[in-house]
Amino acid sequence: MNVVVITGTPGVGKSTVLQRALEEIEEEYTILNFGDAMLKVALERGVVKNRDEMRMLDPGVQKDIQRMAARKIAGVAKTQNVVVDTHAQIKTHNGYLPGMPVWVLEQLMPRIIVVVEADAAEIAGRRSSDTTRTRDVDTIAEIEEHQFMNKAAAVAYAVFTGATVAVIQNHDNRLDEAARDLAVVLR
Ligand code: AMP
Ligand code: MG
């Protein structure tokens, strides 16, 4: 099982950096989006209409759906190299919900945890120009706090699994650089 987890505050551009990085390397990785796996379960249960409603659900329900998604993803990861596109901490009405509590880590056992970051002002700008999603309208200080919490969580996950933690900067107009840095990590 070769599992890499990629995380980052919403709007940081992690999916874009990942796609670009995978084009640069020989190694074959399947991208599995944790939110997609959760959304499938949540839609089947009829508890949400779209992916941005999931973080508004009762935390107990989110964790239940999270557990089911982790099992599905671990099943796929048995036979192929995967990059799991997910979150270190989900901002909910009840506080930060860990994206990888111990029962998720036991399923995934990642080899590498990637944290994609940018300046908070850059993230705020990207969120406001994204019309496809219902992004949180956070202040600069709130985005900074979220990024701090993500890194703190990544280190905790690393202590449990022995995974390495790679922090990748994805600054405005420097996507190529971010993709190159991630490609080095994934090789
Ligand atoms: P995304 O498209 O990556 O923003 O993911 C959509 C939604 O899926 C997020 O806003 C969360 O509600 C949920 N989600 C993704 N990964 C996790 C996770 N590891 N644990 C709990 N919820 C998650
Ligand atoms: Mg994404």
Side-chain angles (χ1 to χ4, degrees):
M1 208 159 89
N2 176 13
V3 178
V4 176
V5 166
I6 186 164
T7 68
T9 293
V12 77
K14 66 186 148 65
S15 311
T16 312
V17 176
L18 174 60
Q19 255 161 14
R20 187 71 76 91
L22 291 181
E23 287 165 13
E24 287 185 24
I25 62 173
E26 300 286 314
E27 290 78 1
E28 289 290 330
Y29 282 96
T30 303
I31 301 174
L32 299 176
N33 186 297
F34 203 99
D36 285 349
M38 283 184 62
L39 183 61
K40 199 160 174 284
V41 177
L43 286 172
E44 278 163 12
R45 290 193 185 179
V47 291
V48 297
K49 286 191 277 313
N50 64 61
R51 63 199 301 122
D52 288 310
E53 286 180 3
M54 290 197 292
R55 63 181 182 274
M56 321 290 175
L57 292 169
D58 174 84
V61 176
Q62 292 185 59
K63 282 184 268 187
D64 191 34
I65 298 171
Q66 178 188 57
R67 188 188 299 266
M68 297 186 69
R71 271 200 215 116
K72 273 196 206 167
I73 285 174
V76 178
K78 275 190 189 136
T79 55
Q80 48 199 302
N81 298 338
V82 300
V83 181
V84 182
D85 180 338
T86 186
H87 295 276
Q89 298 271 28
I90 293 88
K91 205 171 171 184
T92 77
H93 295 314
N94 306 90
Y96 292 104
L97 180 102
M100 285 171 280
V102 67
W103 57 85
V104 172
L105 284 177
E106 280 168 350
Q107 292 285 334
L108 302 184
M109 277 309 215
R111 181 173 68 91
I112 307 170
I113 299 168
V114 178
V115 183
V116 181
E117 293 199 321
D119 295 339
E122 293 174 324
I123 293 170
R126 292 172 199 171
R127 283 185 189 173
S128 63
S129 58
D130 181 357
T131 53
T132 67
R133 298 285 300 267
T134 312
R135 298 295 197 188
D136 290 337
V137 184
D138 287 334
T139 64
I140 297 299
E142 284 167 337
I143 295 171
E144 280 170 354
E145 180 187 88
H146 195 171
Q147 294 206 104
F148 170 80
M149 295 297 283
N150 287 340
K151 270 194 292 200
V155 170
Y157 303 150
V159 169
F160 184 79
T161 56
T164 51
V165 176
V167 181
I168 304 286
Q169 298 294 331
N170 180 31
H171 294 299
D172 283 351
N173 309 312
R174 282 159 65 186
L175 175 62
D176 287 347
E177 204 178 307
R180 216 179 313 127
D181 291 346
L182 180 57
V184 170
V185 169
L186 292 176
R187 251 179 220 125

